[in-house]
Amino acid sequence: MSTDAIVLLKEDHKEIRRLFTAFQDAEDGPASRRGKIVGQIIEALTVHTYLENEVMYPEIRKLVPDVEDDILESYEEHHVADVLCLELHAMDADDERFVAKTTVLMENVLHHVEEEEQEWFPKVRDALGRNQLQEIGQRMLDLRPKAPTTPTAPKALKKAHDAVVA
C-alpha cells in the first residue's frame, strides 16, 4: 500500500464518490437505506477532512507557497461540508429536506475534489519529492485511527469551531 499523501487522498475521494453513487441509487428507496448510506458518507468525510486539515494542508502551506490560495479555499470548502454533515447527522432520513441537503453536500464535495485533483495536487506533486509525499502520507495514516468519525466528536467540533473563530 502506498503512503504517498496524494495517492491516499485520491483513494478517499474514490470511496466518497462510490458512496455518493450508492446514495443516488437509493434515492427512491426506503429512507432507512438512504440514512445508512449518508451515515457512511458523513463518517468518510469527517475522517478525510480531519486528516487534510490536520496534516496535509498545514504541511503543504509551508512547503508549496504557490498553492496558498487553493488551500485557504479548501479549508472553507471543508467548513461548508462540515456544517452540512453536522446538519445531516441530526436529521431523520425521512425529513423532506434530507435528500436535497445530501445532494448539496455531494455537489460541494465533488467540486472540491475536482479542484484538488485537477488544479493543486499536480502542483504539489511537481513541487515535492516522493519522499516528502510519503512522509506526509505516513503521518496521515498514523493519525487516521485517532480521527473523529462523526461531526459531533470533540475533534470534529473543534475543527468546525476553528474555521469560524480562527
Side-chain angles (χ1 to χ4, degrees), residues 6-131:
I6 292 173
V7 171
L8 294 173
L9 294 175
K10 284 184 172 184
E11 287 173 4
D12 282 357
H13 292 168
K14 184 177 177 181
E15 173 62 12
I16 289 163
R17 284 187 188 104
R18 184 192 69 73
L19 290 167
F20 287 173
T21 299
F23 177 81
Q24 289 169 328
D25 292 345
E27 264 188 66
D28 295 326
S32 61
R33 176 79 178 123
R34 288 191 304 273
K36 181 179 178 189
I37 295 167
V38 168
Q40 293 170 325
I41 290 169
I42 290 169
E43 180 175 341
L45 287 173
T46 301
V47 170
H48 178 79
T49 61
Y50 181 78
L51 295 175
E52 282 187 325
N53 284 15
E54 293 295 314
V55 179
M56 183 72 168
Y57 292 176
E59 195 64 27
I60 298 307
R61 278 183 85 179
K62 286 189 293 191
L63 298 172
V64 190
D66 288 349
V67 296
E68 172 81 13
D69 290 343
D70 297 309
I71 300 248
L72 292 173
E73 183 179 332
S74 292
Y75 277 124
E76 297 307 319
E77 289 169 343
H78 280 189
H79 178 64
V80 170
D82 291 342
V83 169
L84 290 168
C85 285
L86 190 57
E87 291 175 359
L88 283 164
H89 183 72
M91 289 177 86
D92 290 325
D94 58 358
D95 186 293
E96 69 178 0
R97 298 176 324 166
F98 190 81
V99 170
K101 193 173 292 286
T102 303
T103 300
V104 170
L105 173 66
M106 293 186 325
E107 289 170 352
N108 278 288
V109 169
L110 290 172
H111 167 81
H112 170 75
V113 165
E114 183 75 17
E115 283 185 340
E116 279 187 343
E117 290 185 358
Q118 300 303 317
E119 295 176 23
W120 68 268
F121 279 2
K123 292 176 191 174
V124 169
R125 183 162 302 287
D126 288 345
L128 300 182
R130 191 176 92 154
N131 287 345

